[in-house]
Amino acid sequence: MSALLQVPGYDQERLRSVAERLPCREAQAGTLLSLLGEPQQYSYPSVFIYGHRASGKSHVVDVLMEELELPCVAVSCVECVSMALLFERVLLTFFGPDATSLLPRFPSMSDFVRIYKRQRLQSPAKQTRYIVMEKAELLRDGDANLLPALLRLQELVEDNLTVILLSEIVWDLFRPNTGCFEPLQLHFPDYSKGELQEILSKDKHPSYSAEFYSSYINILLGVFYSVCRDLRELRHLAALNFTKFCEPLTEGKGKETDTHKLWRNIEPHLKKAMQTVYIREVSRWGLAFSERPQAGLSAHTHIELPYYSKFLLIAAYLASYNPARTDKRFFLKHHGKIRKTAKFLKKNEKTSNHLLGPKPFPLDRLLAIFYSVVDSRVAPTASIFSQISSLVTLQLLAQVSHDDQLDAPKYKCCVSLDFICAISRTVNFEIVKYLYDFV
């Protein structure tokens, strides 16, 4: 494996240590080091690394910087919400606190470049300096000149400096309309099933043999690999379900070689766990400190969703199972009395909406119901729309596409009645009062 990391200019022992810490990512690490070149050489001004979540992007870069002792500042674009915080972090890491004191209260890119050039004359770089930007897609929401300036920062500050951008989206969605310097691009593919097997098997339990834990991982991947390729999520699922897998052994009812008996014991449990993939369950110890869960609410239904995402999911469920004609009646304050004709129509309906299944609804109807049921005034910000996308990613909502409706997306709620009732209880919302089938 270390043969893939025979890059000139780096100590072979350190490269071997890097290869040991990066199972199944030696090829990507070797390619990245080849792009960066030898430490004393001028490197390419900017490198763009992209790939799906948990594909090893940050881990590879962190291990390379740590093991090879490269001068680096790691910046999370989630934490650095302003340019001032970004500039402070870079100057503090490379030049110390005296450099950050030179920044004005509201620094511009010109101020940062001027101070950096002055400091690098006093502390010239002996090897390439690196700025690693995680969650780099958030840079698109910053000042218009920030991303173009970072891509050619080496030229602006006249220093041996490389900016590494880490993102989950492709470069085509990054490129500004006005054009900018094109970075080198490196793609990190998803882990294959065999690679996931190899990586997860390294987390073996000390009380059991490596072969036993590897067979458990093989069973786990056989169930979840078709719906989840996320290494962190699979590692969480492996730790969560291993105790159940070992039950026959702890009770003295089987041996490590009784694969069929172990599979029969864990199969229904894993199928139930399929409903909570990507959703963190709260332990019973954590429930004691959460927001007063109601009696009867189990740890499997009390999930960690953002506050407004819960109301968005509630609104989606109401839109899926309530006829559109009933929205005024449920969500307008002065809708008048419910007429008997409505009850008559309901009695004569052949089948309830819950038996027919969820129906698609447009985005504007979802938002109208959401703003009606949420208990505080919420502005229609990008955060609300991003939470809708997150619910789709979590497969709690499904987007219904139509060839003749390009600009009017429709959605459908994918959760059960028990699930939405549990979510509603966490925000003290009585959803049954707003469902047409139960009025």
Side-chain angles (χ1 to χ4, degrees):
M1 290 185 180
S2 59
L4 294 171
L5 293 179
Q6 292 180 353
V7 183
Y10 296 96
D11 181 71
Q12 288 303 312
E13 287 298 323
R14 292 182 180 274
L15 291 176
R16 189 173 295 110
S17 178
V18 167
E20 291 174 357
R21 292 183 59 184
L22 299 176
C24 307
R25 277 295 178 255
E26 302 92 342
Q28 286 73 23
T31 302
L32 179 57
L33 282 179
S34 299
L35 294 176
L36 299 178
E38 297 183 22
Q40 292 76 20
Q41 296 176 339
Y42 258 74
S43 180
Y44 201 77
S46 51
V47 179
F48 181 78
I49 301 176
Y50 66 102
H52 288 155
R53 182 178 180 270
S55 56
K57 305 181 295 298
S58 299
H59 183 57
V60 167
V61 175
D62 291 345
V63 169
L64 288 176
M65 298 298 163
E66 179 184 341
E67 290 288 342
L68 303 178
E69 296 183 352
L70 302 176
C72 164
V73 52
V75 178
S76 171
C77 295
V78 177
E79 298 175 1
C80 291
V81 294
S82 67
M83 294 174 62
L85 291 174
L86 169 62
F87 299 154
E88 283 183 16
R89 182 76 63 85
V90 173
L91 293 175
L92 178 65
T93 303
F94 289 153
F95 306 112
D98 292 339
T100 61
S101 63
L102 301 175
L103 283 170
R105 186 173 182 182
F106 300 103
S108 64
M109 178 60 72
S110 299
D111 296 324
F112 170 71
V113 170
R114 174 176 50 81
I115 295 171
Y116 190 105
K117 291 174 70 174
R118 184 189 304 174
Q119 294 297 316
R120 61 101 178 157
L121 292 175
Q122 301 175 8
S123 303
K126 297 179 182 179
Q127 55 181 314
T128 307
R129 293 174 171 136
Y130 296 97
I131 301 176
V132 180
M133 309 284 294
E134 297 188 19
K135 296 288 183 183
E137 56 267 16
L138 298 178
L139 292 173
R140 300 179 301 167
D141 301 327
D143 292 349
N145 68 333
L146 180 58
L147 179 58
L150 288 173
L151 292 173
R152 58 193 314 159
L153 193 57
Q154 181 185 105
E155 176 186 344
L156 294 174
V157 301
E158 300 174 2
D159 192 23
N160 188 3
L161 178 70
T162 294
V163 175
I164 300 177
L165 304 177
L166 306 178
S167 178
E168 296 181 15
I169 64 176
V170 297
W171 172 248
D172 290 339
L173 300 177
F174 256 86
R175 189 181 290 110
N177 295 330
T178 55
C180 64
F181 185 83
E182 293 286 324
L184 291 177
Q185 299 180 43
L186 177 60
H187 177 240
F188 274 52
D190 288 338
Y191 290 106
S192 67
K193 189 175 182 179
E195 291 171 340
L196 289 171
Q197 173 84 32
E198 178 182 344
I199 296 171
L200 293 172
S201 295
K202 293 181 180 294
D203 301 331
K204 76 177 191 69
H205 198 281
S207 302
Y208 300 93
S209 66
E211 293 77 11
F212 175 72
Y213 194 80
S214 180
S215 66
Y216 164 67
I217 294 298
N218 187 44
I219 290 173
L220 187 85
L221 291 175
V223 175
F224 289 103
Y225 183 73
S226 60
V227 297
C228 176
R229 312 283 172 93
D230 189 318
L231 176 61
R232 282 177 288 186
E233 185 67 24
L234 289 169
R235 182 170 276 148
H236 167 73
L237 290 167
L240 194 66
N241 298 292
F242 186 65
T243 305
K244 186 69 176 179
F245 182 71
C246 300
E247 262 187 3
L249 303 183
T250 56
E251 295 174 358
K253 297 180 180 178
K255 302 178 181 178
E256 288 188 5
T257 54
D258 296 337
T259 308
H260 186 64
K261 181 181 291 186
L262 295 170
W263 163 246
R264 281 188 303 172
N265 180 65
I266 193 69
E267 181 184 15
H269 190 72
L270 292 181
K271 288 183 177 179
K272 186 177 180 180
M274 287 274 284
Q275 301 175 4
T276 57
V277 174
Y278 293 110
I279 300 175
R280 288 288 179 264
E281 298 176 0
V282 180
S283 66
R284 297 200 178 276
W285 178 84
L287 280 173
F289 299 94
S290 63
E291 46 186 67
R292 295 186 182 180
Q294 302 293 326
L297 182 60
S298 68
H300 292 280
T301 53
H302 187 74
I303 62 173
E304 293 183 1
L305 280 177
Y307 181 75
Y308 290 127
S309 290
K310 293 181 181 181
F311 277 102
L312 283 169
L313 193 60
I314 290 170
Y317 192 88
L318 294 172
S320 283
Y321 288 98
N322 281 352
R325 69 177 186 274
T326 64
D327 287 352
K328 283 186 179 181
R329 177 170 140 199
F330 285 119
F331 307 116
L332 284 183
K333 293 183 179 179
H334 305 290
H335 56 76
K337 295 182 179 179
I338 300 176
R339 298 181 179 179
K340 293 182 179 180
T341 52
K343 290 185 178 180
F344 176 79
L345 290 172
K346 184 173 180 296
K347 287 179 181 178
N348 285 273
E349 288 177 355
K350 294 180 180 179
T351 314
S352 73
N353 295 301
H354 279 74
L355 292 178
L356 293 174
K359 293 183 174 59
F361 54 85
L363 177 62
D364 56 353
R365 186 178 175 217
L366 169 65
L367 294 176
I369 297 176
F370 167 72
Y371 292 124
S372 297
V373 298
V374 72
D375 59 357
S376 59
R377 191 172 183 84
V378 188
T381 61
S383 173
I384 297 298
F385 293 100
S386 67
Q387 290 185 50
I388 295 175
S389 300
S390 298
L391 292 174
V392 174
T393 304
L394 293 172
Q395 299 181 1
L396 300 177
L397 294 184
Q399 185 170 349
V400 182
S401 58
H402 295 283
D403 295 333
D404 58 342
Q405 292 182 335
L406 297 177
D407 58 346
K410 287 190 174 184
Y411 300 89
K412 190 163 59 173
C413 191
C414 303
V415 302
S416 65
L417 178 61
D418 291 339
F419 188 95
I420 201 65
C421 286
I423 291 292
S424 301
R425 284 195 291 269
T426 64
V427 292
N428 296 321
F429 182 82
E430 297 184 34
I431 191 171
V432 176
K433 291 184 177 181
Y434 294 86
L435 287 170
Y436 184 65
D437 284 343
F438 300 99
V439 174

